């Protein structure tokens, strides 16, 4: 496949992935979405006070597990209400866009690894299909994107030795800690195959 053909295929693949992501994104929202909006509203108005505002018990200690995502979701909801399309419609559109970003990142990463656009497209479609039950307006969708980027940046750093990829690998866990801190330890699990490979090679 020559360079021009590869570019055309990549454009077609991205369009196909975006259409597939649009079809995969469910129109219904989960109960957590309502909670996320209210938590985001509360943090926006009161800041992070490390207390659960919706508990039966007054001043119950609470760590907001994805405060940045909650605030972001609330702001998207507010934008939807402000421009007149509705808050939940805005969240649905944002979920579709995040799903599309995930699909494109997966395709780009697999393409960088295997150097075959056709296989990369098939693998990306398969991965998105397997993830379909997890594509929803929750922090995990952003985490999937950051995990895929982590693999990409690790590979690029090992290949090129450029320091900017190392900087990205420092920024990503900071983002995860604020967007979805429950999965923060899993960030380091992604390094295990590389560590084992290094140990075996040395």
């Amino acid at each position: 496949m020559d360079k021009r053909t590869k570019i055309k295929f990549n454009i077609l693949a991205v369009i196909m992935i975006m259409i597939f992501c649009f079809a995969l994104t469910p129109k219904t929202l989960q109960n957590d979405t309502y909670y996320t909006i209210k938590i985001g509203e509360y943090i926006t108005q009161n800041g992070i006070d490390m207390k659960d505002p919706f508990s039966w018990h007054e001043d119950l200690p609470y760590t907001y597990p994805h405060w940045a995502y909650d605030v972001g979701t609330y702001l998207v909801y507010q934008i939807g209400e402000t421009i007149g399309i509705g808050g939940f419609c805005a969240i649905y559109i944002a979920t579709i866009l995040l799903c599309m970003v995930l699909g494109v990142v997966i395709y780009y990463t697999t393409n960088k690894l295997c150097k075959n656009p056709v296989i990369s497209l098939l693998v990306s479609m398969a991965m998105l299909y397997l993830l379909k039950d997890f594509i929803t307006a929750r922090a995990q969708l952003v985490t999937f994107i950051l995990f895929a980027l982590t693999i990409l940046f690790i590979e690029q750093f090992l290949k090129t030795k450029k320091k900017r990829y190392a900087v990205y690998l420092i920024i990503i866990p900071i983002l995860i800690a604020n967007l979805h801190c429950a999965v923060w330890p899993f960030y380091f699990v992604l390094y295990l195959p590389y560590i084992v490979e290094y140990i075996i090679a040395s």
Side-chain angles (χ1 to χ4, degrees), residues 10 13 24 27 30-31 34 52 68 77 80 84 93 104 107 124 127 142 149 152 172 178-179 192 201:
N10 284 336
L24 282 180
K27 295 180 177 65
Q30 296 184 348
N31 291 340
Y34 303 97
D52 188 348
Y77 178 86
I93 292 170
V104 172
Y107 174 72
S124 300
M127 289 177 71
V142 179
L149 286 173
L152 175 64
I172 286 177
N178 290 283
L179 289 165
L192 291 179

Side-chain angles (χ1 to χ4, degrees), residues 1 4 16 34 57 66 113 115-116 138-139 142 148 156 164 168 186 189 193:
M1 189 181 290
R4 181 175 290 183
M16 289 175 63
Y34 303 97
H57 304 282
H66 33 69
L113 295 177
K115 307 293 184 185
N116 187 318
R138 297 184 68 177
V142 179
Q156 289 299 101
R164 70 169 180 262
Y168 298 152
F186 290 98
V189 173

Side-chain angles (χ1 to χ4, degrees), residues 10 16 25 30 36 41 43 46 52 57-58 71 75 85-86 97 101 106 115 127 149 151 162 171 182 186 196-198:
N10 284 336
M16 289 175 63
T25 306
Q30 296 184 348
T36 296
E41 180 184 26
I43 292 172
N46 303 286
D52 188 348
H57 304 282
E58 188 175 352
V71 170
L75 293 177
I85 64 171
L97 293 175
V101 170
I106 290 173
K115 307 293 184 185
M127 289 177 71
L149 286 173
I151 298 297
K162 291 182 179 177
I171 293 171
F186 290 98
V196 171
E197 184 181 357
Y198 176 78

Side-chain angles (χ1 to χ4, degrees), residues 168-186:
Y168 298 152
L169 292 171
I170 294 171
I171 293 171
I172 286 177
I174 295 171
L175 290 173
I176 292 174
N178 290 283
L179 289 165
H180 196 186
C181 72
V183 300
W184 185 75
F186 290 98

Side-chain angles (χ1 to χ4, degrees), residues 54-197:
F54 306 118
S55 171
W56 287 99
H57 304 282
E58 188 175 352
D59 296 332
L60 183 70
Y62 181 71
T63 300
Y64 298 97
H66 33 69
W67 72 268
Y69 179 81
D70 295 341
V71 170
T73 302
Y74 170 68
L75 293 177
V76 169
Y77 178 86
Q78 282 298 101
I79 290 170
E81 292 291 299
T82 301
I83 65 177
I85 64 171
F88 293 112
C89 182
I91 290 173
Y92 174 61
I93 292 170
T95 305
I96 292 172
L97 293 175
L98 285 173
C99 182
M100 289 178 176
V101 170
L102 174 63
V104 172
V105 168
I106 290 173
Y107 174 72
Y108 184 77
T109 302
T110 52
N111 209 3
K112 280 283 187 182
L113 295 177
C114 74
K115 307 293 184 185
N116 187 318
V118 177
I119 293 175
S120 298
L121 177 60
L122 295 175
V123 169
S124 300
M125 291 289 203
M127 289 177 71
L128 287 168
Y129 180 77
L130 293 172
L131 286 170
K132 69 182 187 302
D133 293 333
F134 303 98
I135 296 172
T136 185
R138 297 184 68 177
Q140 65 198 21
L141 188 53
V142 179
T143 306
F144 292 149
I145 295 169
L146 293 174
F147 281 169
L149 286 173
T150 299
I151 298 297
L152 175 64
F153 295 148
I154 290 173
E155 291 288 341
Q156 289 299 101
F157 179 71
L158 293 174
K159 180 180 177 181
T160 66
K161 306 301 182 187
K162 291 182 179 177
K163 293 180 180 178
R164 70 169 180 262
Y165 295 114
V167 173
Y168 298 152
L169 292 171
I170 294 171
I171 293 171
I172 286 177
I174 295 171
L175 290 173
I176 292 174
N178 290 283
L179 289 165
H180 196 186
C181 72
V183 300
W184 185 75
F186 290 98
Y187 172 79
F188 301 98
V189 173
L190 298 176
Y191 286 84
L192 291 179
Y194 299 97
I195 294 170
V196 171
E197 184 181 357

